[in-house]
Amino acid sequence: MERRTDPRNRSYAKAFLPDHNAIGYIRDISTGGFRIEALGDPGIPEKVEVTAVFIPNEEMRFPPFTLRGRVEWRHENPPTTSLGIAVTRYVSPGSARLFRRFRKIWKRLAT
């Protein structure tokens, strides 16, 4: 029997922001962007472009991929910080295809 008062957030991938040495979890994904729940406050302001490495959970069976995105909004909710990021460029080979695949899987699992 579930005893939590707050629902558990699902995550099917981690995200690493190497420019800021920050890590977090992908919490939402859409056609043009995604939300990262970063551990702590990585100190990234809005309108800054960042590199994001998606690290899918092993059971998803596809490799990490890298893209660039612009931080559109941020919301501090200690001990984490939510970052809404709009995709600006796909960096690693196949990253556009992998992002679309990840989004499709996310959509299916989140319903």
Side-chain angles (χ1 to χ4, degrees), residues 57-71:
N57 287 351
E58 190 174 300
E59 64 268 12
M60 294 187 89
R61 296 193 172 124
F62 60 97
F65 58 95
T66 305
L67 45 82
R68 296 275 297 164
R70 184 180 53 256
V71 176

Side-chain angles (χ1 to χ4, degrees), residues 7-95:
R8 177 177 283 191
N9 286 320
R10 293 182 182 175
S11 182
Y12 305 107
K14 292 178 185 160
F16 177 55
L17 304 172
D19 304 337
H20 302 275
N21 198 28
I23 194 158
Y25 295 93
I26 303 296
R27 292 289 191 221
D28 194 14
I29 189 168
S30 66
T31 303
F34 53 97
R35 177 172 60 102
I36 293 176
E37 196 71 26
L39 303 177
D41 181 359
I44 306 169
E46 292 179 6
K47 306 306 175 198
V48 168
E49 194 160 303
V50 297
T51 298
V53 180
F54 275 60
I55 306 167
N57 287 351
E58 190 174 300
E59 64 268 12
M60 294 187 89
R61 296 193 172 124
F62 60 97
F65 58 95
T66 305
L67 45 82
R68 296 275 297 164
R70 184 180 53 256
V71 176
E72 295 295 327
W73 55 265
R74 56 177 279 127
H75 177 71
E76 293 179 37
N77 47 336
T80 63
T81 302
S82 294
L83 302 170
I85 300 175
V87 175
T88 58
R89 185 166 54 97
Y90 298 100
V91 177
S92 59
S95 59

